[in-house]
């Protein structure tokens, strides 16, 4: 009986194991078929449809699948007859693949001292291809008015993206020249076709950014005019319409309003003024809620968070003097960076991580010093003086492309520390 029982048990176990193996094979096959169906569906999308999906995916740091998808379509179009329609679509794919690399440079926090050569090389290559093809199309006498506007738009955004990278790397002259060209071409595209609403985003970033840059560059490029409000309204206009670049528009506009809360030019403005700190704070909070609600409250599984959103929220909490909530955001940012570096193998600029750690230390110090409870702790003087010295010796608690905006945000940290040192008689 024992022998018979064991044989039955063995046979039963074998049948179960075989069944499980068959089930797993079927599930793997289904997954492969499902993935193939997904790829076929994506492969049938237009350049704009693919780009819209890819751009949202970059918010979740899901870059990898999109590079081969865009490369595949580019190869197919390059091998196709070079009709005007095919050339226009190829131009779009070139630009969107450049844009994918461009977004990756922002995630990794490229500067003049920190770059990943392949990413920069691919960005410049595809930006150049989009720009060259747009210029060639504009010389074609058979181009319709709508197609002419399209070529102008992609010429402008290619130049604008290049200007952003150049500015981030500290090459101000090249950035200003490409930025001015982008401004002119985007304006021309809108004149020909007001439906190119995404052009408002590029125009807004250039006109606001150039004013904030100030100095000789603003004098040369904009006659010294204050076009901050013009720039902000361009982006606001874009957000009222159907645009592909909505995530970028929301993020850029949030940063701009965040900085306007601190801009010394706004001191003394009445609350009703559109550039007042009151309006700027209200818009910042609204846009943060919009950005988070649209893309991050119902995010993909295993998504650890967006470091850009955490950074903006953390800085707003610092401005508001809510150091406990600010600390939560900076600590979240560090966890996101750790995940991106260790799990996704992203080569993030170490200086970016250092600035977040410094911002978190600042918040811990303010909490330990009793600022939140208004019961100040004199024992904090040593660390307060350390952080003041850290900033005054070139240390940073914020990383942002614009040195002027970065400096104004950094001054918030510095002034709070100096004020606390004075109150504690350190």
């Amino acid at each position: 009986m024992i022998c018979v029982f064991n044989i039955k048990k063995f046979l039963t176990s074998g049948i179960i194991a075989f069944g499980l193996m068959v089930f797993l094979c079927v599930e793997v096959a289904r997954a492969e078929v499902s993935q193939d169906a997904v790829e076929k569906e994506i492969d049938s999308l237009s350049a704009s449809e693919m780009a819209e999906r890819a751009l949202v995916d970059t918010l979740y740091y899901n870059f990898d699948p999109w590079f081969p998808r865009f490369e595949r379509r580019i190869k197919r179009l390059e091998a196709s007859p070079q009709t005007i329609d095919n050339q226009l679509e190829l131009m779009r794919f070139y630009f969107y693949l450049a844009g994918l690399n461009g977004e990756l440079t922002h995630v990794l926090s490229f500067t003049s001292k920190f770059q990943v050569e392949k990413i920069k090389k691919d960005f410049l290559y595809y930006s150049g291809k989009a720009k060259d093809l747009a210029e060639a199309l504009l010389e074609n006498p058979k181009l319709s008015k709508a197609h002419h506007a399209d070529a102008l738009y992609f010429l402008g955004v290619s130049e604008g993206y290049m200007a952003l990278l150049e500015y981030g790397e500290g090459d101000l002259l090249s950035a200003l020249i490409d930025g001015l060209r982008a401004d002119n071409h985007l304006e021309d595209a809108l004149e020909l076709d007001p439906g190119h609403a995404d052009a408002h985003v590029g125009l807004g970033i250039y006109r606001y950014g150039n004013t904030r840059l100030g100095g000789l560059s603003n004098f040369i490029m904009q006659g010294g005019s204050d076009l901050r409000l013009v720039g902000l309204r361009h982006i606001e206009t874009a957000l009222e319409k159907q645009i592909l670049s909505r995530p970028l528009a929301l993020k850029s506009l949030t940063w701009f309003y965040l900085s306007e809360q601190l801009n010394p030019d706004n001191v003394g403005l009445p609350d009703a003024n559109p550039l007042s700190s009151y309006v700027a704070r209200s818009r910042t909070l609204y846009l943060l809620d919009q950005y988070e609600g649209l893309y991050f409250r119902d995010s993909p599984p295993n998504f650890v968070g967006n470091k850009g959103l955490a950074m903006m929220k953390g800085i707003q909490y610092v401005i508001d003097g809510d150091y406990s909530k600010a600390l939560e955001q900076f600590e979240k940012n560090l966890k996101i960076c750790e995940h991106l570096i260790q799990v996704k193998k992203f080569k993030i600029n170490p200086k970016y991580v250092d600035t977040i750690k410094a911002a978190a230390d600042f918040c811990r110090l303010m909490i330990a010093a009793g600022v939140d409870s208004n019961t100040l702790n004199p024992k904090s003087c040593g660390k307060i003086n350390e952080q003041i010295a850290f900033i005054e010796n070139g240390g940073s608690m914020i990383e942002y492309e614009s040195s002027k905006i970065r400096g104004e945000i950094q001054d918030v940290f510095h002034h709070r520390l100096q004020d606390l040192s004075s109150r504690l008689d350190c």
Side-chain angles (χ1 to χ4, degrees):
M1 284 295 294
I2 292 172
C3 181
V4 172
F5 175 77
N6 285 343
I7 290 170
K8 285 181 178 179
K9 187 175 181 181
F10 173 78
L11 290 171
T12 303
S13 299
I15 291 167
I16 292 170
F18 179 73
L20 283 170
M21 184 178 70
V22 170
F23 173 77
L24 289 171
C25 287
V26 169
E27 288 304 304
V28 168
R30 280 180 182 167
E32 288 176 352
V33 169
S34 175
Q35 187 57 37
D36 285 346
V38 167
E39 290 302 322
K40 282 181 182 176
E41 188 261 334
I42 289 173
D43 216 30
S44 67
L45 299 175
S46 69
S48 298
E49 289 168 331
M50 270 183 71
E52 190 167 17
R53 290 198 191 186
L55 181 56
V56 172
D57 248 6
T58 65
L59 300 176
Y60 313 125
Y61 307 114
N62 189 25
F63 285 85
D64 287 347
W66 291 102
F67 288 108
R69 289 167 179 167
F70 279 99
E71 287 164 359
R72 230 176 11 246
R73 293 294 294 278
I74 284 170
K75 284 179 182 176
R76 190 190 308 168
L77 281 163
E78 286 177 335
S80 300
Q82 292 305 292
T83 62
I84 287 177
D85 284 342
N86 280 350
Q87 285 184 311
L88 285 162
E89 192 72 344
L90 182 58
M91 170 191 68
R92 296 182 192 110
F93 271 109
Y94 282 147
F95 170 74
Y96 291 133
L97 185 49
L100 200 60
N101 281 284
E103 286 309 300
L104 192 50
T105 70
H106 297 319
V107 170
L108 303 182
S109 296
F110 272 32
T111 64
S112 57
K113 296 179 181 177
F114 178 85
Q115 299 166 6
V116 177
E117 194 56 36
K118 184 184 184 308
I119 297 169
K120 180 183 175 182
K121 184 179 176 183
D122 287 348
F123 168 78
L124 292 172
Y125 174 77
Y126 288 110
S127 291
K129 295 285 278 185
K131 185 172 176 288
D132 290 346
L133 189 47
E135 288 173 334
L137 281 161
L138 287 169
E139 292 179 4
N140 190 328
K142 296 181 180 178
L143 212 60
S144 68
K145 182 180 176 181
H147 288 161
H148 196 92
D150 215 28
L152 280 169
Y153 169 76
F154 280 94
L155 177 57
V157 288
S158 296
E159 291 163 334
Y161 238 132
M162 292 173 81
L164 283 175
L165 182 70
E166 288 157 351
Y167 184 80
E169 292 182 347
D171 188 354
L172 298 186
L173 182 59
S174 296
L176 289 169
I177 292 169
D178 277 324
L180 182 61
R181 286 173 178 160
D183 183 272
N184 291 335
H185 291 131
L186 291 174
E187 197 170 48
D188 290 345
L190 270 176
E191 270 188 39
L192 274 176
D193 180 7
H196 260 301
D198 283 275
H200 284 291
V201 180
L203 288 170
I205 290 171
Y206 176 73
R207 289 174 184 180
Y208 177 87
N210 205 339
T211 297
R212 293 292 269 129
L213 190 62
L216 184 61
S217 63
N218 177 240
F219 179 76
I220 294 170
M221 301 298 175
Q222 295 178 170
S225 301
D226 183 349
L227 298 184
R228 286 177 296 153
L229 196 53
V230 172
L232 294 172
R233 284 178 174 163
H234 266 296
I235 306 175
E236 297 272 17
T237 298
L239 288 170
E240 292 169 1
K241 303 178 184 297
Q242 288 294 112
I243 54 169
L244 185 152
S245 58
R246 187 167 300 275
L248 300 180
L250 281 168
K251 183 171 64 174
S252 298
L253 195 59
T254 305
W255 270 112
F256 294 163
Y257 276 118
L258 194 66
S259 76
E260 284 304 316
Q261 295 177 59
L262 309 171
N263 188 344
D265 292 343
N266 298 336
V267 173
L269 289 179
D271 287 351
N273 189 293
L275 290 173
S276 71
S277 59
Y278 174 81
V279 171
R281 182 178 182 276
S282 299
R283 292 300 295 150
T284 301
L285 295 176
Y286 173 79
L287 291 163
L288 280 170
D289 185 66
Q290 287 280 301
Y291 190 44
E292 189 168 16
L294 279 172
Y295 303 111
F296 303 113
R297 287 197 185 120
D298 187 22
S299 50
N302 303 318
F303 175 62
V304 294
N306 181 278
K307 65 186 182 73
L309 176 64
M311 173 67 99
M312 291 188 292
K313 289 176 75 172
I315 292 169
Q316 184 61 58
Y317 283 132
V318 168
I319 294 170
D320 291 344
D322 193 338
Y323 301 110
S324 295
K325 287 185 177 177
L327 178 59
E328 286 177 14
Q329 294 302 319
F330 293 134
E331 287 180 335
K332 182 176 183 178
N333 201 326
L334 287 170
K335 287 180 182 176
I336 295 167
C337 289
E338 183 181 3
H339 175 82
L340 293 178
I341 293 166
Q342 294 185 0
V343 178
K344 296 189 77 72
K345 307 302 179 187
F346 280 21
K347 295 177 181 177
I348 293 177
N349 187 345
K351 187 179 176 184
Y352 176 85
V353 179
D354 289 343
T355 62
I356 305 304
K357 286 178 180 176
D361 287 343
F362 165 83
C363 292
R364 291 189 193 99
L365 174 56
M366 298 303 277
I367 294 166
V371 174
D372 281 0
S373 63
N374 290 320
T375 307
L376 298 182
N377 179 6
K379 293 180 180 178
S380 302
C381 275
K383 289 192 175 179
I384 292 169
N385 290 332
E386 278 179 23
Q387 287 211 353
I388 290 173
F390 169 76
I391 293 173
E392 291 179 349
N393 289 323
S396 179
M397 296 172 180
I398 172 71
E399 192 67 21
Y400 187 66
E401 288 93 341
S402 167
S403 58
K404 189 168 185 180
I405 293 174
R406 183 172 65 243
E408 288 169 1
I409 297 172
Q410 178 82 344
D411 283 346
V412 174
F413 293 85
H414 190 217
H415 292 157
R416 299 280 172 90
L417 288 165
Q418 286 181 320
D419 177 63
L420 185 56
S421 175
S422 176
R423 288 163 66 191
L424 288 171
D425 198 21
C426 293

